[in-house]
């Protein structure tokens, strides 16, 4: 970061705080941090996963979105039935973002459907369980799925429908697996609570149902890859080229049976730590599967991750194959960067998205020679910022208490030690981030801004102060940002581009960013801070 950047950070913090009432300002001040990394890797404390102050226009989504939309949604052959008003289903309908590839056209794929109980006033008043049972029956009669998941929306929790009792009853009646999720939208601070609920129920009701041994050696589960824009397909190809057997992905391009048989794998690799670290922990405790943090966004990160997996298996032939894949991949990337980097070097980017991409995508910008001046998550927890080393110091708050912590014991028959604790300790120096995640801040530059749960007001202030060359966020921010004369790359839907993982995806991303940051059209817009007339209406809080 340059001194100019650092003074811009200070101006931003000062200016944005002025807009808040004193109490809100004090809270926000703990969520906006100027980064420093001590020699031992310690970074400043940031407040995260705390409730957004009402009135602030947050980027966040709801618990139901995290459970149904994110974790369960990308699985193609579970009927995901939403118990609630139709709007909740419509907005969680995965139509284009997550990709899936059934082996043949006759294999089930329900991802294009939108299943809902379509609750009306009368059900809110008299209860919706009867309608839910009918809907489960109807879905069964029409599709004969292997499993049906029932997702609770806000009103279901308020009126007290017992989705779990309905699930048990229908499971018995239909002879297929039916399970419910108490993922009412208001249940937690954000969608993060929904991830946890989804992990718990999948673990309780599906994982471990099929004990068929892994078909090939070096079987690996890929956790936290949802196959946005085909990202998962690229990773699948890389695994095949290196000789790793992909057992199950949670949950992009996945199926019910894959989940049921995932506990036989030799290793879990975790891409999105935020959404699925619970599953990794529980599978370790119950089945003895170790896990490694990986990241396939960015060419160097991909190389590191593939090498970590190969190092875990300690097979010289596998290592050789992996090294060949890495060498070819890096050469492909280097060729592309030769030209592209000349046009991107020195430009500035900002990333405000989700609970892992704001970290992972920084890799690609660094490879382009760009500076990440500010970044933050919508709903991540302190460990995603500061690293898992802070886990013991995270206090359980009222919101986390809403979500069940499963008590998991080793399975008497199926717990199998893949690597003893001594072996894991011995591997740690070669396999970085073994059962650990170092977090986002450690990889960010000195003086860069880290902002948790950024809001619209701060986004505008940030852009006005820094005038970055590209801003990465989602659809809710995109057009506000672009009207300010700054291109916005959506990192949730990819603007329907992608894939961006692996070496192939890295080059896709470089090309798009090069085009965006050099497009002259943005300079033709007059952003509000340059316009002669200010906004028509301004307001400030009365301060005491
Ligand atoms: Fe994980 Fe995700 Fe993300 Fe996420 Fe999400 Fe997502 Fe995301 Mo949107 S699971 S935390 S809840 S990587 S939907 S596929 S893009 S906010 S950064």
């Amino acid at each position: 970061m340059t001194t100019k950047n650092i003074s811009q950070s200070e101006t931003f913090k000062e200016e944005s705080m002025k807009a808040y009432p004193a109490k809100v300002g004090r809270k926000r001040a703990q969520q906006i941090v100027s980064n420093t990394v001590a020699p031992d890797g310690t970074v400043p404390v940031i407040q995260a996963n705390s409730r957004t102050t009402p009135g602030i226009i947050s980027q966040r989504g709801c618990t139901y979105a995290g459970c149904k939309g994110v974790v369960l949604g990308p699985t193609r052959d579970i009927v995901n039935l939403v118990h609630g008003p139709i709007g909740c289903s419509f907005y969680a309908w995965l139509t284009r973002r997550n990709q899936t590839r059934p082996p043949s056209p006759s294999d089930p794929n329900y991802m294009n459907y939108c299943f809902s109980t379509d609750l009306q006033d009368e059900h809110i008043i008299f209860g919706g369980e009867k309608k839910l049972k009918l809907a489960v029956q109807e879905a069964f009669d029409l599709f004969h799925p292997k499993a049906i998941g029932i997702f609770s929306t806000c009103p279901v929790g308020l009126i007290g429908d017992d989705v779990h009792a309905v699930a048990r009853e229908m499971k018995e009646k239909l002879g297929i697996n039916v399970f419910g999720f108490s993922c009412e939208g208001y249940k937690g601070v954000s969608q993060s609570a929904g991830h946890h609920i989804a992990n718990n129920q999948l673990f309780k009701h599906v994982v471990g149902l099929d004990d068929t041994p892994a078909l090939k050696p070096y079987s690996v589960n890929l956790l936290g890859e949802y196959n946005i824009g085909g990202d998962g397909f690229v990773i699948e190809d890389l695994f095949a080229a290196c000789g790793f057997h992909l057992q199950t992905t949670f949950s992009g391009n996945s199926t019910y049976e894959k989940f049921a048989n995932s506990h036989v794998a030799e290793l879990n690799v975790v891409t999105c730590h935020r959404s699925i670290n619970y599953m990794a922990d529980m599978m370790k405790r119950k089945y003895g599967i170790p896990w490694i943090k990986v990241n396939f966004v960015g060419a160097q990160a991909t190389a590191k991750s593939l090498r970590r997996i190969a190092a875990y298996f300690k097979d010289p032939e596998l290592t050789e194959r992996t090294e060949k894949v890495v060498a070819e991949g890096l050469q492909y990337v280097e060729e592309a960067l030769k030209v592209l980097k000349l046009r991107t070097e020195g430009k500035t980017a900002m990333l405000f998205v989700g609970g892992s991409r704001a970290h992972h995508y920084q890799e690609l910008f660094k490879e382009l020679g760009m500076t990440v001046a500010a970044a933050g998550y919508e709903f991540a927890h302190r460990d995603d910022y500061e690293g898992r080393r802070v886990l013991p110091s995270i206090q359980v708050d009222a919101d986390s208490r809403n979500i069940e912590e499963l008590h998991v014991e080793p399975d008497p028959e199926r717990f199998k030690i893949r690597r003893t604790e001594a072996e894991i300790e011995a591997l740690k120096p070669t396999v970085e981030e073994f059962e650990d995640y170092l977090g986002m801040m450690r990889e960010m530059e000195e003086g860069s801004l880290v902002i948790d749960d950024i809001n619209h007001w701060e986004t505008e202030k940030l852009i006005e102060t820094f005038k970055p060359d590209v801003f990465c966020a989602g659809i809710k921010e995109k057009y506000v940002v672009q009207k300010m004369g700054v291109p916005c790359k959506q990192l949730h839907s990819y603007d329907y581009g992608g894939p961006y993982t692996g070496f192939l995806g890295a080059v896709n991303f470089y090309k798009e960013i090069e085009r965006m940051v050099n497009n002259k059209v943005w300079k033709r817009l007059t952003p509000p801070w340059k316009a002669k007339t200010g906004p028509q209406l301004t307001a400030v809080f009365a301060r005491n």
Side-chain angles (χ1 to χ4, degrees), residues 493-513:
S493 70
Y494 295 172
D495 298 301
Y496 308 108
Y500 297 135
T501 45
F503 307 108
L504 181 119
V507 174
N508 285 344
F509 195 77
Y510 302 154
K511 283 183 185 162
E512 267 182 58
I513 294 302

mmCIF file of all heavy atoms in Angstrom, residues 493-513:
data_model
loop_
_atom_site.group_PDB
_atom_site.id
_atom_site.type_symbol
_atom_site.label_atom_id
_atom_site.label_comp_id
_atom_site.label_asym_id
_atom_site.label_seq_id
_atom_site.Cartn_x
_atom_site.Cartn_y
_atom_site.Cartn_z
ATOM 1 N N SER A 493 -22.420 -14.329 -8.802
ATOM 2 C CA SER A 493 -22.961 -14.976 -10.007
ATOM 3 C C SER A 493 -21.956 -14.963 -11.146
ATOM 4 O O SER A 493 -22.194 -15.581 -12.175
ATOM 5 C CB SER A 493 -24.206 -14.232 -10.472
ATOM 6 O OG SER A 493 -23.807 -12.964 -10.974
ATOM 7 N N TYR A 494 -20.853 -14.248 -10.967
ATOM 8 C CA TYR A 494 -19.828 -14.074 -12.005
ATOM 9 C C TYR A 494 -20.367 -13.311 -13.211
ATOM 10 O O TYR A 494 -19.785 -13.386 -14.303
ATOM 11 C CB TYR A 494 -19.288 -15.433 -12.496
ATOM 12 C CG TYR A 494 -18.530 -16.255 -11.479
ATOM 13 C CD1 TYR A 494 -18.149 -17.552 -11.766
ATOM 14 C CD2 TYR A 494 -18.168 -15.735 -10.251
ATOM 15 C CE1 TYR A 494 -17.443 -18.318 -10.850
ATOM 16 C CE2 TYR A 494 -17.471 -16.498 -9.328
ATOM 17 C CZ TYR A 494 -17.113 -17.785 -9.633
ATOM 18 O OH TYR A 494 -16.414 -18.541 -8.730
ATOM 19 N N ASP A 495 -21.480 -12.629 -13.066
ATOM 20 C CA ASP A 495 -22.142 -12.002 -14.225
ATOM 21 C C ASP A 495 -22.358 -13.073 -15.302
ATOM 22 O O ASP A 495 -22.274 -12.808 -16.499
ATOM 23 C CB ASP A 495 -21.302 -10.857 -14.814
ATOM 24 C CG ASP A 495 -21.087 -9.720 -13.832
ATOM 25 O OD1 ASP A 495 -22.082 -9.147 -13.364
ATOM 26 O OD2 ASP A 495 -19.925 -9.405 -13.526
ATOM 27 N N TYR A 496 -22.601 -14.279 -14.828
ATOM 28 C CA TYR A 496 -22.809 -15.457 -15.695
ATOM 29 C C TYR A 496 -21.596 -15.787 -16.558
ATOM 30 O O TYR A 496 -21.701 -16.458 -17.569
ATOM 31 C CB TYR A 496 -24.136 -15.339 -16.471
ATOM 32 C CG TYR A 496 -25.232 -15.060 -15.475
ATOM 33 C CD1 TYR A 496 -25.835 -13.816 -15.392
ATOM 34 C CD2 TYR A 496 -25.544 -16.022 -14.517
ATOM 35 C CE1 TYR A 496 -26.758 -13.542 -14.385
ATOM 36 C CE2 TYR A 496 -26.452 -15.753 -13.512
ATOM 37 C CZ TYR A 496 -27.054 -14.516 -13.435
ATOM 38 O OH TYR A 496 -27.930 -14.244 -12.439
ATOM 39 N N GLY A 497 -20.419 -15.350 -16.125
ATOM 40 C CA GLY A 497 -19.161 -15.740 -16.784
ATOM 41 C C GLY A 497 -18.538 -16.909 -16.021
ATOM 42 O O GLY A 497 -19.226 -17.662 -15.355
ATOM 43 N N GLY A 498 -17.248 -17.032 -16.094
ATOM 44 C CA GLY A 498 -16.550 -18.116 -15.421
ATOM 45 C C GLY A 498 -16.312 -19.272 -16.369
ATOM 46 O O GLY A 498 -16.628 -19.157 -17.558
ATOM 47 N N PRO A 499 -15.747 -20.375 -15.947
ATOM 48 C CA PRO A 499 -15.225 -20.609 -14.600
ATOM 49 C C PRO A 499 -13.956 -19.795 -14.316
ATOM 50 O O PRO A 499 -13.262 -19.397 -15.252
ATOM 51 C CB PRO A 499 -14.906 -22.112 -14.627
ATOM 52 C CG PRO A 499 -14.631 -22.425 -16.067
ATOM 53 C CD PRO A 499 -15.532 -21.527 -16.846
ATOM 54 N N TYR A 500 -13.691 -19.609 -13.004
ATOM 55 C CA TYR A 500 -12.522 -18.843 -12.600
ATOM 56 C C TYR A 500 -11.534 -19.636 -11.747
ATOM 57 O O TYR A 500 -10.583 -19.075 -11.224
ATOM 58 C CB TYR A 500 -12.951 -17.584 -11.825
ATOM 59 C CG TYR A 500 -13.779 -16.641 -12.664
ATOM 60 C CD1 TYR A 500 -14.935 -16.054 -12.148
ATOM 61 C CD2 TYR A 500 -13.415 -16.328 -13.974
ATOM 62 C CE1 TYR A 500 -15.700 -15.196 -12.926
ATOM 63 C CE2 TYR A 500 -14.178 -15.474 -14.747
ATOM 64 C CZ TYR A 500 -15.317 -14.914 -14.221
ATOM 65 O OH TYR A 500 -16.073 -14.066 -14.983
ATOM 66 N N THR A 501 -11.781 -20.918 -11.583
ATOM 67 C CA THR A 501 -10.859 -21.718 -10.768
ATOM 68 C C THR A 501 -9.756 -22.323 -11.643
ATOM 69 O O THR A 501 -9.873 -22.379 -12.866
ATOM 70 C CB THR A 501 -11.603 -22.879 -10.094
ATOM 71 O OG1 THR A 501 -12.447 -23.473 -11.060
ATOM 72 C CG2 THR A 501 -12.387 -22.435 -8.891
ATOM 73 N N GLY A 502 -8.729 -22.788 -10.981
ATOM 74 C CA GLY A 502 -7.632 -23.479 -11.672
ATOM 75 C C GLY A 502 -6.867 -22.531 -12.581
ATOM 76 O O GLY A 502 -7.051 -21.314 -12.550
ATOM 77 N N PHE A 503 -6.031 -23.115 -13.410
ATOM 78 C CA PHE A 503 -5.197 -22.313 -14.314
ATOM 79 C C PHE A 503 -6.057 -21.749 -15.437
ATOM 80 O O PHE A 503 -5.933 -20.588 -15.819
ATOM 81 C CB PHE A 503 -4.065 -23.183 -14.860
ATOM 82 C CG PHE A 503 -3.286 -23.850 -13.754
ATOM 83 C CD1 PHE A 503 -3.390 -25.216 -13.513
ATOM 84 C CD2 PHE A 503 -2.470 -23.096 -12.915
ATOM 85 C CE1 PHE A 503 -2.691 -25.819 -12.473
ATOM 86 C CE2 PHE A 503 -1.772 -23.690 -11.864
ATOM 87 C CZ PHE A 503 -1.890 -25.054 -11.652
ATOM 88 N N LEU A 504 -6.954 -22.592 -15.908
ATOM 89 C CA LEU A 504 -7.855 -22.171 -16.983
ATOM 90 C C LEU A 504 -8.722 -20.986 -16.530
ATOM 91 O O LEU A 504 -8.852 -19.973 -17.220
ATOM 92 C CB LEU A 504 -8.748 -23.372 -17.326
ATOM 93 C CG LEU A 504 -9.752 -23.218 -18.416
ATOM 94 C CD1 LEU A 504 -9.407 -24.234 -19.485
ATOM 95 C CD2 LEU A 504 -11.172 -23.502 -17.930
ATOM 96 N N GLY A 505 -9.275 -21.119 -15.330
ATOM 97 C CA GLY A 505 -10.151 -20.075 -14.798
ATOM 98 C C GLY A 505 -9.397 -18.796 -14.501
ATOM 99 O O GLY A 505 -9.926 -17.697 -14.675
ATOM 100 N N ALA A 506 -8.145 -18.941 -14.055
ATOM 101 C CA ALA A 506 -7.352 -17.744 -13.748
ATOM 102 C C ALA A 506 -7.226 -16.883 -14.999
ATOM 103 O O ALA A 506 -7.447 -15.667 -14.965
ATOM 104 C CB ALA A 506 -5.984 -18.153 -13.224
ATOM 105 N N VAL A 507 -6.916 -17.525 -16.121
ATOM 106 C CA VAL A 507 -6.734 -16.764 -17.359
ATOM 107 C C VAL A 507 -8.070 -16.133 -17.790
ATOM 108 O O VAL A 507 -8.110 -14.977 -18.236
ATOM 109 C CB VAL A 507 -6.112 -17.651 -18.466
ATOM 110 C CG1 VAL A 507 -6.061 -16.925 -19.794
ATOM 111 C CG2 VAL A 507 -4.714 -18.092 -18.038
ATOM 112 N N ASN A 508 -9.174 -16.849 -17.616
ATOM 113 C CA ASN A 508 -10.488 -16.251 -17.907
ATOM 114 C C ASN A 508 -10.679 -14.966 -17.121
ATOM 115 O O ASN A 508 -11.150 -13.961 -17.638
ATOM 116 C CB ASN A 508 -11.628 -17.200 -17.478
ATOM 117 C CG ASN A 508 -11.807 -18.360 -18.426
ATOM 118 O OD1 ASN A 508 -11.307 -18.322 -19.545
ATOM 119 N ND2 ASN A 508 -12.519 -19.379 -17.972
ATOM 120 N N PHE A 509 -10.319 -15.042 -15.841
ATOM 121 C CA PHE A 509 -10.530 -13.888 -14.967
ATOM 122 C C PHE A 509 -9.601 -12.736 -15.345
ATOM 123 O O PHE A 509 -10.027 -11.588 -15.434
ATOM 124 C CB PHE A 509 -10.319 -14.301 -13.507
ATOM 125 C CG PHE A 509 -10.864 -13.305 -12.507
ATOM 126 C CD1 PHE A 509 -12.219 -13.240 -12.242
ATOM 127 C CD2 PHE A 509 -10.024 -12.436 -11.822
ATOM 128 C CE1 PHE A 509 -12.730 -12.330 -11.316
ATOM 129 C CE2 PHE A 509 -10.527 -11.517 -10.902
ATOM 130 C CZ PHE A 509 -11.878 -11.471 -10.642
ATOM 131 N N TYR A 510 -8.334 -13.039 -15.573
ATOM 132 C CA TYR A 510 -7.384 -11.981 -15.969
ATOM 133 C C TYR A 510 -7.939 -11.209 -17.169
ATOM 134 O O TYR A 510 -7.904 -9.989 -17.205
ATOM 135 C CB TYR A 510 -6.034 -12.544 -16.425
ATOM 136 C CG TYR A 510 -5.255 -13.405 -15.467
ATOM 137 C CD1 TYR A 510 -4.357 -14.345 -15.981
ATOM 138 C CD2 TYR A 510 -5.364 -13.276 -14.085
ATOM 139 C CE1 TYR A 510 -3.593 -15.148 -15.134
ATOM 140 C CE2 TYR A 510 -4.612 -14.089 -13.246
ATOM 141 C CZ TYR A 510 -3.739 -15.021 -13.778
ATOM 142 O OH TYR A 510 -2.986 -15.828 -12.969
ATOM 143 N N LYS A 511 -8.408 -11.961 -18.162
ATOM 144 C CA LYS A 511 -8.864 -11.314 -19.399
ATOM 145 C C LYS A 511 -10.039 -10.393 -19.124
ATOM 146 O O LYS A 511 -10.110 -9.288 -19.638
ATOM 147 C CB LYS A 511 -9.289 -12.385 -20.422
ATOM 148 C CG LYS A 511 -8.127 -13.072 -21.091
ATOM 149 C CD LYS A 511 -8.632 -14.046 -22.135
ATOM 150 C CE LYS A 511 -7.476 -14.831 -22.742
ATOM 151 N NZ LYS A 511 -7.923 -16.042 -23.415
ATOM 152 N N GLU A 512 -10.962 -10.877 -18.291
ATOM 153 C CA GLU A 512 -12.137 -10.052 -18.003
ATOM 154 C C GLU A 512 -11.767 -8.788 -17.238
ATOM 155 O O GLU A 512 -12.276 -7.714 -17.504
ATOM 156 C CB GLU A 512 -13.155 -10.858 -17.198
ATOM 157 C CG GLU A 512 -14.159 -11.533 -18.105
ATOM 158 C CD GLU A 512 -15.199 -12.284 -17.324
ATOM 159 O OE1 GLU A 512 -15.894 -11.660 -16.502
ATOM 160 O OE2 GLU A 512 -15.297 -13.502 -17.531
ATOM 161 N N ILE A 513 -10.889 -8.948 -16.266
ATOM 162 C CA ILE A 513 -10.502 -7.782 -15.457
ATOM 163 C C ILE A 513 -9.716 -6.792 -16.318
ATOM 164 O O ILE A 513 -9.935 -5.579 -16.244
ATOM 165 C CB ILE A 513 -9.706 -8.229 -14.203
ATOM 166 C CG1 ILE A 513 -10.621 -9.035 -13.272
ATOM 167 C CG2 ILE A 513 -9.105 -7.038 -13.469
ATOM 168 C CD1 ILE A 513 -11.873 -8.325 -12.776
#
